[in-house]
Amino acid sequence: QVQLVESGGGLVQAGGSLRLSCAASGHTSSRHNMGWFRQAPGKEREFVAAISRSGLSRYYADSVKGRFTISRDNAKNMVYLQMNSLKPEDTAVYYCAARIGDSYYDRGYDYWGQGTQVTVSS
């Protein structure tokens, strides 16, 4: 069992930055591929970014490429999402997720956090 707790969300103006953190506990997070998803009101949960167990491979949605960076610190059981040049359309609840399998873009992750709200004002 893996427990995930997100933090770092908040209100920011367009063009600003936020860094989300995901703290993992339970089984060692280095065994899991990690992802970030988001869900805006009235929309389906969508893939944002993912990172492999080793941290060597990273994957991004087209909508965030060049603006967001995912990283991890396996020694601390932490995953991060650095978000720069934020836009109002980035407003959503952001979720951290973990999975054993080697798939990244779909929502078939094994464990999910409770989410953290990100609001970008125009």
Side-chain angles (χ1 to χ4, degrees):
Q1 192 76 9
V2 175
Q3 293 80 42
L4 303 172
V5 179
E6 304 94 336
S7 62
L11 174 64
V12 64
Q13 288 188 331
S17 298
L18 282 175
R19 187 175 86 150
L20 304 184
S21 298
C22 174
S25 60
H27 290 295
T28 308
S29 68
S30 61
R31 297 175 57 189
H32 297 82
N33 296 309
M34 302 295 294
W36 286 97
F37 285 73
R38 67 186 181 186
Q39 188 167 18
K43 295 187 177 181
E44 290 191 350
R45 193 170 298 188
E46 65 174 4
F47 172 80
V48 175
I51 188 167
S52 62
R53 295 178 192 82
S54 64
L56 293 179
S57 298
R58 308 181 190 195
Y59 309 87
Y60 296 96
D62 288 342
S63 59
V64 307
K65 278 181 183 176
R67 300 188 298 123
F68 291 12
T69 302
I70 188 171
S71 61
R72 67 189 298 164
D73 184 337
N74 285 341
K76 296 181 179 179
N77 283 342
M78 296 291 295
V79 180
Y80 306 99
L81 186 68
Q82 178 66 43
M83 306 187 295
N84 298 328
S85 302
L86 282 161
K87 305 175 181 179
E89 50 264 44
D90 294 317
T91 295
V93 177
Y94 283 70
Y95 297 90
C96 177
R99 73 191 304 169
I100 294 290
D102 290 327
S103 181
Y104 299 96
Y105 296 96
D106 63 278
R107 287 175 286 182
Y109 282 67
D110 303 304
Y111 306 101
W112 293 84
Q114 293 300 305
T116 185
Q117 176 71 46
V118 172
T119 303
V120 184
S121 63
S122 58

